[in-house]
Amino acid sequence: MPDEHASGAEPTAPSAGRMLEAGGDNAIAVTLGILGDEWNLWILRHSFQGARRYSDWTAVGGISHAVLSSRLGALTEAGLFDRVRYSERPPRYEYRRTECGQAVWPILLAVWSWELRWAPDEGILPRMVHSTCGHEFRPVLHCAACGDPAGAREVVAEMGPSGGWTRSVPAASSRRRSSGATRAPNVLPHTMALLGNRWSAAMLGAAFFGAQRYGEFAERMQSSPAIVAERLRTFLDLGVLAETPSTERTDWATYHLTAKGRDFFPVVVCMITWGQRWFHAPEGEAIVFTHTGCGQVFTPRLVCSECDTALEASTVSVEPRVDGEIPRAAYSR
Ligand SMILES: [Zn+2]
Ligand SMILES: [Zn+2]
């Protein structure tokens, strides 16, 4: 494969992130475009488990060459990987996570934990062990500023200058690279039901912003009544929303996040924080989070449920639950 910037292993300068176009997709839309794709999450996950070279991913199996090529290209273009030549003859390349790609790690951890807890029968996920304490653990969301635990109810979200519903979901056309040919691996089924579709992501956002009635969802999602009704049904079936019927009028029913829905908050806040760290709208942030406990800007930190110390990529290992998952030197790089 030809490569125009194959200068070898130049160190990557610390990146300030990327500037987005004024008035266009904001950081949330860009983030959903990248991480609301099951194959991208799959590729990143195996990258953290040591995959670097094209053959590392194909050896895991299940991904077609066309999908792997297009996704590696897209993740490189988005700034999550550097494509680095490791062999001159023949020319071969490997994909190393950039600082931006490395910073995805808490999101993967939060997604993984949520699926283990709330969709345990559908995907077969390896166990996660915290090497610092030796225990299987859950990541617990804390406020980095004050160090206290914080859930969805302790964090206030306000729209920033680049917020707004239409700018926060990716255009449908931008999501469908190489669709059809290969089915996604389906190891994160509930996460993808919430994030892998622009209307679902918009509904989730509306729910976290306090929408409760059909009309409030419809207004924020700016989509057809049929789509809103269908997504509400999906979210009810998933157990992410629960319905309280009205005895007076059917359209007065209210919907609220269940424990399962609220428990997805660490994923949402880690994703948006990552997106806003690496993709900047010229107008400013899309969402500003504040921790009500300390009054400071909320920055997520994930802490081990068993030993209360902050989690780092280098101290988490994945171990196979059943045959077929690669243990390798987990998270070694
Ligand atoms: Zn705080
Ligand atoms: Zn621990």
Side-chain angles (χ1 to χ4, degrees):
M1 269 184 263
D3 188 62
E4 61 280 13
H5 46 265
S7 51
E10 279 177 18
T12 312
S15 171
R18 180 171 302 186
M19 204 48 120
L20 304 173
E21 280 180 36
D25 282 358
N26 65 19
I28 299 171
V30 172
T31 301
L32 285 169
I34 299 167
L35 300 182
D37 180 281
E38 202 162 12
W39 281 123
N40 282 348
L41 292 182
W42 183 91
I43 287 168
L44 286 162
R45 165 192 162 189
H46 288 293
S47 166
F48 279 103
Q49 290 179 276
R52 283 183 168 199
R53 298 176 183 179
Y54 197 90
S55 56
D56 292 337
W57 281 286
T58 55
V60 182
I63 191 163
S64 73
H65 289 287
V67 170
L68 181 57
S69 291
S70 77
R71 296 304 200 279
L72 284 173
L75 289 166
T76 303
E77 192 184 327
L80 282 76
F81 284 131
D82 273 334
R83 184 167 174 257
V84 178
R85 187 189 288 227
Y86 69 87
S87 159
E88 295 296 328
R89 250 180 256 172
R92 294 195 190 282
Y93 303 89
E94 60 184 24
Y95 295 85
R96 297 183 189 165
R97 290 186 308 283
T98 60
E99 194 184 346
C100 169
Q102 182 66 22
V104 166
W105 179 77
I107 305 168
L108 294 183
L109 191 63
V111 164
W112 195 316
S113 170
W114 186 79
E115 289 276 341
L116 275 177
R117 184 167 189 183
W118 296 103
D121 299 331
E122 298 198 37
I124 301 168
L125 294 173
R127 305 184 309 138
M128 296 184 298
V129 173
H130 188 211
S131 62
T132 304
C133 66
H135 290 110
E136 195 170 351
F137 71 98
R138 282 187 310 109
V140 180
L141 186 66
H142 283 232
C143 168
C146 70
D148 284 350
R153 287 172 167 149
E154 288 86 45
V155 178
V156 175
E158 289 172 295
M159 287 278 187
S162 71
W165 299 98
T166 53
R167 293 185 62 179
S168 301
V169 287
S173 58
S174 70
R175 309 291 311 283
R176 293 277 157 85
R177 260 185 286 265
S178 68
S179 63
T182 312
R183 279 186 58 82
N186 203 38
V187 290
L188 304 169
H190 291 203
T191 299
M192 283 304 120
L194 298 183
L195 298 179
N197 170 289
R198 64 193 305 251
W199 299 126
S200 297
M203 174 161 278
L204 185 69
F208 274 113
F209 262 94
Q212 291 199 321
R213 296 195 179 205
Y214 172 86
E216 292 167 345
F217 284 104
E219 183 193 335
R220 292 172 189 194
M221 291 166 68
Q222 299 186 353
S223 58
S224 74
I227 287 177
V228 177
E230 189 265 323
R231 284 310 128 121
L232 279 172
R233 176 48 52 200
T234 302
F235 275 44
L236 290 170
D237 290 346
L238 277 170
V240 166
L241 288 179
E243 181 178 17
T244 308
S246 164
T247 52
E248 296 167 69
R249 283 175 54 175
T250 54
D251 59 344
W252 286 0
T254 56
Y255 303 88
H256 58 269
L257 287 162
T258 60
K260 178 179 179 177
R262 281 195 308 277
D263 201 38
F264 199 66
F265 182 69
V267 176
V268 173
V269 76
C270 285
M271 277 183 70
I272 294 173
T273 301
W274 175 82
Q276 298 197 133
R277 162 67 181 83
W278 295 100
F279 303 97
H280 308 287
E283 300 89 350
E285 299 209 309
I287 288 185
V288 178
F289 292 109
T290 305
H291 181 211
T292 54
C294 69
Q296 301 186 71
V297 170
F298 180 77
T299 304
R301 173 190 289 164
L302 297 178
V303 168
C304 173
S305 59
E306 306 306 304
C307 71
D308 268 349
T309 59
L311 295 162
E312 293 167 28
S314 59
T315 62
V316 170
S317 63
V318 295
E319 301 191 355
R321 197 172 287 283
V322 292
D323 296 342
E325 285 292 345
I326 54 163
R328 290 233 224 158
Y331 298 111
S332 59
R333 288 182 271 236

